[in-house]
């Protein structure tokens, strides 16, 4: 893969060397030089540290570890970064600690922050510290009727659903709880039943909010919880995006309507697909939740993290956590043997719905076992197909794409919005990249060449749509998927809204593109009957274990992997490493 390096013409010394090597971008260098100039910092090693911190944010980390940066930093080009002129780690740490642009403990007002050898942009450290502080302060127990709780746990959970039962108990006994688990482990069923447990506690009926990072994930959450709650004494629940829950106000100085001075009016807030929530958004969310309300975070920590910086769910799940003797005593009184719950995390590990070879493949990817992954891919499984020839030459892929689009078009032409939207989930082509020969743009053009000319008219019945920006007037959000259908009133764009369908004139759908392929990132929060995944070359920096696992777990009944053995091994053996201090800080008490 050829990478074009943006040369920083005014950079000198270390910044120039690291820019020339493809480690630092033009923006990284520019910001570092600007911060250093405004703060009166002449030391080029500090300039390098600032630039690397900015670069880390761009790549998903919230800080850099100065002691290990020389062997944890990689370049976009295939070069050995160990040959670069790295500063001595100890001297580098001292230079940053003494810098006029870096704050240490008890200081404020400077653009950078150094904590336990980790260098942050100050506002990201403040967000991380806010999340840490709120999570630990909210570990205190709200008032609970233990007798009623015990009876409801026995009534609502089967004897073999011990982890689900534990999750409900922890949610009742703690103001922050985390429900982790992969596809098919019963997270949605557990959400519905634990909400029923909380609603049964003495007092006024709690006000409940359901939310997810994307419109698609929110609609799926609402529909799944409603389905799981049919026989439960729960109110009619609706889900929204996290941004809509907080009341985003574009163009105003106050980003959200709800914040620390204007809390959300809910007693229970449930956030699904939390792995997609960035550090900054989590900070805004958690300070907007009332201090005496319950916050329930749900998700799969093995999936791709947020596109923005941070891996909050993964940090919480893997943190050791301080002892909580009161929680342990309460759980013991409810019959849980030797409970060991850290940070309110309960992980569901039994697969109830999602099984077979796809589940085994997902487990092997998660474990980092590339030999087991390739054995499964080449096993001849009825669920899994491995295409090692060029993806364009796969007749199965073309057949699946045309069959699913034909199903969608047929339903759309007769005005059956529900069937058209269901058909849209029959097969989905996923890519790691947006652009290039293995990306969404290329495959959109390729698939359009397979279709009859009439299906390419914009708009036309059966045309699948992907929303690419939030539109608060129509209630459409980035990541929503829909399809154009024929109705007695003319063409309408149909979008699922929980158990309902919204019909919107195509002229009002301004930020949309044809949905013939999508990135793995955009697919989070969705599942499809069959999935085809186009892997880029093994050298692609986007090819990671989390991306591969996320794509595999989007498929319910059929999975096609199109790529080389080298690409598969590279993906399985390359976990994402996002630097943060949240995991360590959560492991100790206040």
């Amino acid at each position: 893969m050829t990478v074009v390096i943006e040369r920083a013409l005014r950079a000198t010394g270390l910044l120039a060397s690291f820019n020339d090597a493809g480690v630092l971008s033009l923006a990284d260098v520019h910001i570092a030089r600007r911060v250093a100039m405004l703060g009166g910092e002449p030391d080029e090693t500090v300039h390098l540290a600032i630039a690397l911190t900015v670069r880390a944010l761009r790549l998903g980390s919230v800080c850099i570890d100065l002691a290990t940066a020389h062997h944890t930093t990689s370049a976009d080009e295939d070069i050995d970064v160990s040959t670069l002129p790295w500063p001595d780690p100890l001297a580098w740490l001292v230079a940053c600690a003494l810098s006029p642009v870096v704050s240490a403990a008890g200081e404020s007002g400077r653009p950078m922050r150094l904590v336990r050898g980790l260098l942050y942009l100050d506002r990201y450290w403040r967000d991380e510290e806010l999340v840490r502080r709120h999570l630990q302060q909210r570990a205190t127990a709200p008032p609970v009727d233990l007798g009623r709780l015990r009876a409801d746990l026995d009534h609502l959970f089967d004897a073999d659903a011990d982890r689900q039962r534990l999750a409900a108990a922890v949610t009742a006994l703690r103001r922050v709880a985390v429900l982790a688990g992969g596809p098919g482990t019963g997270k949605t069923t557990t959400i519905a039943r634990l909400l029923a447990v909380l609603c049964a506690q003495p007092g006024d009926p709690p006000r409940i909010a359901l939310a997810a990072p994307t419109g698609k994930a929110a609609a799926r959450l609402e529909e799944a919880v409603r389905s799981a709650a049919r026989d439960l004494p729960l109110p009619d629940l609706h889900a929204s995006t996290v941004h809509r829950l907080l009341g985003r106000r574009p163009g105003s100085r106050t980003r959200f309507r709800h914040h620390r001075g204007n809390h959300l009016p809910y007693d229970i807030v449930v956030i699904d697909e939390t792995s997609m929530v960035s550090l900054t958004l989590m900070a805004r969310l958690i300070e907007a939740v009332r201090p005496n309300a319950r916050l329930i975070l749900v998700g799969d920590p093995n999936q791709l993290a947020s596109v923005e910086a941070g891996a909050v769910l993964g940090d919480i799940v893997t943190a050791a956590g301080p002892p909580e003797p009161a929680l342990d005593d309460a759980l013991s009184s409810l019959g849980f043997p030797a409970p060991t719950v850290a940070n309110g995390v309960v992980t569901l590990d039994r697969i109830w719905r999602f099984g077979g070879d796809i589940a085994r493949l997902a487990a092997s990817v998660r474990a980092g076992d590339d030999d087991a992954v390739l054995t499964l891919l080449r096993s001849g499984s009825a669920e899994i197909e491995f295409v090692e020839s060029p993806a364009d030459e796969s007749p199965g892929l073309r057949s699946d794409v045309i069959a699913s689009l034909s199903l969608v078009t047929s339903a759309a032409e007769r005005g059956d919005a529900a069937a058209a939207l269901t058909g849209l989930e029959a097969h989905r082509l996923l890519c790691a990249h947006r652009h290039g020969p293995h990306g969404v743009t290329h495959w959109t053009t390729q698939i359009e060449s397979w279709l009859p000319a009439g299906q390419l008219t914009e708009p036309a019945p059966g045309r699948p749509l992907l929303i690419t920006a939030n539109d608060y007037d129509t209630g459409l959000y980035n990541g929503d998927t829909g399809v154009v259908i024929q109705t007695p009133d003319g063409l309408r764009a149909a979008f699922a809204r929980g158990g309902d369908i919204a019909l919107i004139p195509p002229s009002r759908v301004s930020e949309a593109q044809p949905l013939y392929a999508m990135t793995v990132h955009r697919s989070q929060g969705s599942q499809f009957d069959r999935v085809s995944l186009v892997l880029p070359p093994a050298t692609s920096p986007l090819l990671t274990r989390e991306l591969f696992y996320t794509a595999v777990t989007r498929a319910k009944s059929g999975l096609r992997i199109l790529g080389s053995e080298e690409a598969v091994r590279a993906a399985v053996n390359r976990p994402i490493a996002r630097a943060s201090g949240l995991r360590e800080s959560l492991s100790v008490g206040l």
Side-chain angles (χ1 to χ4, degrees):
M1 180 179 64
T2 300
V3 177
V4 177
I5 300 173
E6 296 176 295
R7 304 291 178 184
L9 299 180
R10 295 185 180 180
T12 59
L14 290 176
L15 290 180
S17 297
F18 280 73
N19 173 234
D20 290 342
V23 174
L24 298 177
S25 72
L26 177 61
D28 302 333
V29 172
H30 174 74
I31 294 172
R33 294 180 71 247
R34 185 69 173 169
V35 168
M37 182 189 70
L38 292 175
E41 174 54 77
D43 191 330
E44 68 171 351
T45 66
V46 178
H47 301 179
L48 176 63
I50 298 170
L52 289 172
T53 304
V54 175
R55 174 188 186 272
L57 287 167
R58 181 163 51 82
L59 298 180
S61 293
V62 297
C63 59
I64 64 165
D65 186 338
L66 293 171
T68 62
H70 61 286
H71 62 77
T72 57
T73 301
S74 60
D76 291 334
E77 290 191 325
D78 187 18
I79 69 166
D80 182 4
V81 296
S82 66
T83 62
L84 292 172
W86 291 94
D88 173 76
L90 182 58
W92 202 13
L93 180 64
V94 171
C96 289
L98 297 176
S99 173
V101 301
V102 179
S103 297
E107 299 176 331
S108 61
R110 300 178 185 181
M112 309 300 294
R113 173 77 62 160
L114 184 63
V115 181
R116 298 187 304 274
L118 303 177
L119 187 65
Y120 299 77
L121 287 182
D122 186 68
R123 79 176 184 90
Y124 284 90
W125 176 81
R126 291 179 180 276
D127 281 344
E128 186 176 279
E129 181 64 7
L130 183 149
V131 170
R132 191 276 308 167
R133 186 175 66 252
H134 277 265
L135 288 176
Q136 293 187 331
Q137 289 174 346
R138 293 166 189 256
T140 55
V144 175
D145 183 332
L146 285 176
R148 182 59 186 267
L149 176 59
R150 183 183 298 106
D152 289 331
L153 291 174
D154 291 341
H155 171 65
L156 290 171
F157 293 91
D158 296 333
D160 58 349
D162 54 332
R163 301 297 294 177
Q164 285 87 344
R165 189 173 181 271
L166 176 61
V170 171
T171 302
L173 296 168
R174 235 177 163 271
R175 284 195 169 89
V176 174
V178 179
L179 181 62
T185 53
K187 295 193 297 295
T188 304
T189 300
T190 305
I191 292 171
R193 294 186 180 275
L194 67 81
L195 289 176
V197 168
L198 297 177
C199 287
Q201 284 289 303
D204 295 332
R207 293 162 293 180
I208 302 170
L210 304 178
T214 67
K216 180 66 176 177
R220 188 165 171 261
L221 170 65
E222 179 180 317
E223 186 174 3
V225 170
R226 283 185 177 183
S227 176
R230 283 174 183 162
D231 300 323
L232 298 174
L234 286 177
D236 188 22
L237 297 173
H238 298 275
S240 72
T241 64
V242 177
H243 284 85
R244 188 169 181 83
L245 173 70
L246 293 176
R248 187 168 188 174
R249 302 167 69 179
S252 69
R253 294 184 63 186
T254 304
R255 187 179 179 188
F256 294 112
R257 185 161 56 89
H258 294 289
H259 44 76
R260 71 184 70 185
N262 181 32
H263 289 125
L264 289 163
Y266 298 104
D267 305 298
I268 302 169
V269 177
V270 180
I271 306 297
D272 197 17
E273 299 291 348
T274 308
S275 65
M276 301 166 64
V277 178
S278 68
L279 172 65
T280 297
L281 183 57
M282 181 61 75
R284 303 292 77 76
L285 169 69
I286 203 168
E287 67 181 353
V289 174
R290 290 167 37 225
N292 62 345
R294 286 180 171 90
L295 175 62
I296 304 168
L297 305 176
V298 185
D300 184 350
N302 296 297
Q303 285 189 24
L304 282 166
S306 165
V307 174
E308 299 178 41
V312 178
L313 181 65
D315 285 339
I316 298 172
V317 170
T318 55
E324 296 184 45
L327 176 64
D328 292 345
D329 290 345
L331 290 174
S332 294
S333 72
L334 293 170
F336 293 99
T340 54
V341 175
N343 299 311
V345 176
V346 178
T347 300
L348 306 183
D349 51 13
R350 177 175 175 180
I351 295 176
W352 300 81
R353 169 181 53 81
F354 177 85
D357 288 337
I358 294 176
R360 282 187 280 275
L361 180 66
S364 297
V365 173
R366 190 172 62 244
D369 190 339
D370 55 336
D371 288 333
V373 167
L374 284 162
T375 297
L376 275 165
L377 290 179
R378 290 169 171 157
S379 66
S381 166
E383 298 178 21
I384 302 171
E385 179 185 358
F386 185 30
V387 180
E388 297 184 72
S389 57
D392 299 56
E393 299 175 9
S394 170
L397 172 60
R398 179 168 181 166
S399 175
D400 274 353
V401 168
I402 292 176
S404 63
L405 290 176
S406 296
L407 185 67
V408 170
T409 301
S410 176
E413 288 175 341
R414 63 176 186 270
D416 190 340
L421 290 168
T422 299
L424 203 59
E425 311 299 307
H427 175 265
R428 183 59 47 85
L429 176 61
L430 301 180
C431 305
H433 293 256
R434 287 189 180 91
H435 306 291
H438 303 89
V440 169
T441 302
H442 166 82
W443 278 100
T444 296
T445 302
Q446 179 67 51
I447 291 170
E448 287 180 335
S449 73
W450 296 344
L451 300 176
Q455 289 189 32
L456 300 178
T457 306
E458 188 175 352
R463 186 172 180 83
L465 301 173
L466 173 66
I467 301 301
T468 57
N470 294 336
D471 186 336
Y472 294 90
D473 292 332
T474 60
L476 298 178
Y477 300 96
N478 190 2
D480 283 357
T481 59
V483 61
V484 177
I485 67 167
Q486 185 68 57
T487 76
D489 298 320
L491 294 177
R492 293 292 184 269
F495 294 87
R497 283 287 172 269
D500 303 321
I501 295 174
L503 297 178
I504 301 171
S507 60
R508 295 189 60 199
V509 182
S510 57
E511 300 294 337
Q513 63 186 39
L515 176 60
Y516 297 123
M518 72 191 317
T519 62
V520 178
H521 265 99
R522 283 192 183 275
S523 74
Q524 288 183 268
S526 302
Q527 280 199 297
F528 313 99
D529 293 336
R530 295 182 58 80
V531 165
S532 294
L533 170 65
V534 176
L535 293 178
T539 54
S540 169
L542 297 183
L543 193 57
T544 64
R545 182 183 301 168
E546 289 78 5
L547 179 135
F548 198 19
Y549 172 84
T550 301
V552 167
T553 54
R554 299 312 90 203
K556 292 190 286 188
S557 61
L559 174 68
R560 177 183 293 110
I561 305 296
L562 303 108
S564 66
E565 174 181 334
E566 292 75 20
V568 170
R569 290 191 186 276
V572 175
N573 290 315
R574 188 187 292 152
I576 294 175
R578 290 196 167 188
S580 84
L582 184 60
R583 183 183 312 176
E584 181 180 350
S585 63
L586 282 174
S587 298
V588 297
L590 291 168

